[in-house]
């Protein structure tokens, strides 16, 4: 494994509760090809009006050296 860029993967729809960090990237799974990543954030509240941390996951795929968020976050609630 080698780092290809200094850019960070940051989900465009992450929601934190107050000043607490949602913990994005504390859990990461990479497929065997190295082209797909799932990353979680156990402190994401699920929606901008959410009061409780429900957690969420995001999927990313790589084309060449470019990583892209595949869709909106996956949560146990509708967001």
């Amino acid at each position: 494994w080698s780092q290809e860029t200094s850019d960070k993967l940051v989900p465009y729809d992450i929601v934190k509760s107050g000043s607490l960090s949602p913990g994005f990237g504390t859990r990461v799974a990479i497929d065997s090809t190295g082209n797909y990543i799932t990353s979680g954030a156990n402190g994401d509240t699920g929606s901008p009006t959410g009061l409780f941390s429900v957690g969420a996951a995001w999927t990313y795929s790589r084309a060449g050296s470019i990583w892209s968020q595949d869709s909106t976050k996956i949560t146990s609630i509708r967001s």
Side-chain angles (χ1 to χ4, degrees), residues 9-79:
L9 294 178
V10 179
Y12 57 80
D13 55 350
I14 197 164
V15 179
K16 65 181 184 174
S17 178
S19 62
L20 299 176
S21 168
F24 178 76
T26 56
R27 303 287 190 271
V28 176
I30 304 171
D31 86 314
S32 62
T33 68
N35 291 320
Y36 301 94
I37 292 176
T38 299
S39 182
N42 59 347
D44 188 272
T45 60
S47 70
T49 58
L51 299 175
F52 303 101
S53 295
V54 297
W58 292 262
T59 58
Y60 293 85
S61 59
R62 179 173 66 167
S65 62
I66 306 297
W67 286 96
S68 300
Q69 184 173 333
D70 289 334
S71 64
T72 58
K73 65 184 165 189
I74 303 162
T75 66
S76 61
I77 61 172
R78 297 179 110 170
S79 46

